[in-house]
Amino acid sequence: MTRPVQALAHWAFATHRIPGPPMNASANDTFAILGFGRFGQAFCGLLRQAGYPVRVYDPAADVPADVAAASPAAAVAEAGWVILAMPVAFMRQALQELRPLLRADQVVMDVGSVKQEPEQWRAEILGDAFAHIGAHPLFGPISLARGDRPRRVVLCVSHDHPDVLPRAKALFESLDCDVVERTPAEHDQAMARTHAMAFFIAKALVEMGVGEDLSLAPPSFLGLRHMLDAVRGDAGHLFPTIQGENPYAPAARQELIDHLVAIHQRLEAGDDASLIIPN
């Protein structure tokens, strides 16, 4: 499962008590994380902080020796949960290579930022034989380090394996997450008008150099600072995936551009009455 991914040099959680695994935790609560990029590292740290055993495989990252597995087979061998944390573009190939290594009692979960295509791949490759579910944790290294709350995760249950949902909800609740349930299509539609839209706007502002000097920024602008920081750090590397893999993102971008052009034209025409922003 070779893939280009760079490890973070360092990151840490803000001090906050996490509920932790259930008292009757078993081998089913052991995790294999395949992919140790920015989110793979963050999720590994979150799981370990909560007391879950973790093994990690990523041939392109510097994985700490105490969690590193020598191969995908070694990572998956004793795991109850198999977490796909590689870029979405590599996920289908990863599933194909992973299938011969799986047991019927394991759950495969992808944590990518788009859900429709990964759900189709999981259904095609794993089907009824192996339990699987899609998840999109709406947090990352920077937001974890800041201790942002609420910490939310979207779960997209597979029609083939509805019984996985209660287990996945219990897992994320043990990590102090609020769980939202959506279909893959509902998820991607919502992300196109929130996640993708925010990063589209922020990308333009970053390329314009906006926000580099905030000494004169009014409070109304400072609300954009987190968004700009995220593009530069927390999820900036995901920009092509957020925009290119979400089938609803192009229409959302075009709608935004159309509105911006229309607002610009009304400004040029002096149509002040139509430009008042309602409370």
Side-chain angles (χ1 to χ4, degrees):
M1 278 182 290
T2 302
R3 63 182 190 82
V5 61
Q6 297 298 322
L8 282 175
H10 174 76
W11 72 277
F13 290 115
T15 302
H16 192 278
R17 183 179 179 275
I18 292 177
M23 293 297 292
N24 61 345
S26 66
N28 287 335
D29 297 304
T30 297
F31 290 79
I33 298 179
L34 305 181
F36 203 59
R38 298 176 67 88
F39 185 78
Q41 291 187 58
F43 196 49
C44 176
L46 188 63
L47 288 168
R48 296 186 74 191
Q49 187 182 12
Y52 288 105
V54 180
R55 299 294 303 280
V56 177
Y57 176 75
D58 188 328
D62 185 14
V63 181
D66 60 337
V67 295
S71 66
V76 169
E78 298 180 3
W81 294 88
V82 179
I83 309 299
L84 305 184
M86 68 284 296
V88 172
F90 294 85
M91 205 166 284
R92 192 176 193 282
Q93 178 185 346
L95 283 164
Q96 290 172 330
E97 296 176 3
L98 182 63
R99 194 184 193 283
L101 307 177
L102 294 174
R103 302 188 313 269
D105 63 333
Q106 294 173 310
V107 177
V108 176
M109 175 190 292
D110 82 83
V111 290
S113 55
V114 295
K115 297 266 71 87
Q116 280 188 258
E117 258 196 331
E119 161 65 17
Q120 293 167 5
W121 295 333
R122 286 186 282 105
E124 171 194 343
I125 296 167
L126 304 181
D128 295 332
F130 302 101
H132 53 89
I133 190 170
H136 183 192
L138 303 179
F139 52 83
I142 292 176
S143 57
L144 286 170
R146 286 196 304 250
D148 290 353
R149 289 295 188 279
R151 181 185 293 160
R152 292 178 298 145
V153 60
V154 182
L155 292 180
C156 300
V157 65
S158 165
H159 292 298
D160 295 332
H161 302 280
D163 54 310
V164 175
L165 181 60
R167 288 182 59 190
K169 287 181 65 175
L171 164 64
F172 281 105
E173 287 169 356
S174 78
L175 298 175
D176 200 21
C177 296
D178 295 340
V179 175
V180 180
E181 299 172 38
R182 293 290 187 272
T183 67
E186 289 171 341
H187 168 275
D188 287 358
Q189 289 166 358
M191 289 299 109
R193 298 185 70 86
T194 54
H195 199 203
M197 190 75 71
F199 281 96
F200 186 56
I201 296 168
K203 176 69 170 172
L205 295 177
V206 167
E207 292 194 356
M208 292 169 61
V210 174
E212 293 177 359
D213 179 6
L214 298 178
S215 59
L216 298 180
S220 58
F221 180 83
L222 295 179
L224 294 173
R225 186 168 189 171
H226 283 342
M227 189 167 72
L228 297 176
D229 288 344
V231 166
R232 292 190 178 101
D234 202 11
H237 67 295
L238 290 177
F239 186 81
T241 297
I242 293 169
Q243 302 297 335
E245 301 289 343
N246 186 327
Y248 305 99
R253 293 196 305 270
Q254 188 59 57
E255 183 180 359
L256 172 65
I257 292 169
D258 291 344
H259 278 281
L260 290 174
V261 169
I263 292 168
H264 174 69
Q265 290 173 342
R266 279 145 53 198
L267 282 167
E268 292 292 295
D271 184 8
D272 295 346
S274 71
L275 295 167
I276 297 173
I277 300 175
N279 293 329

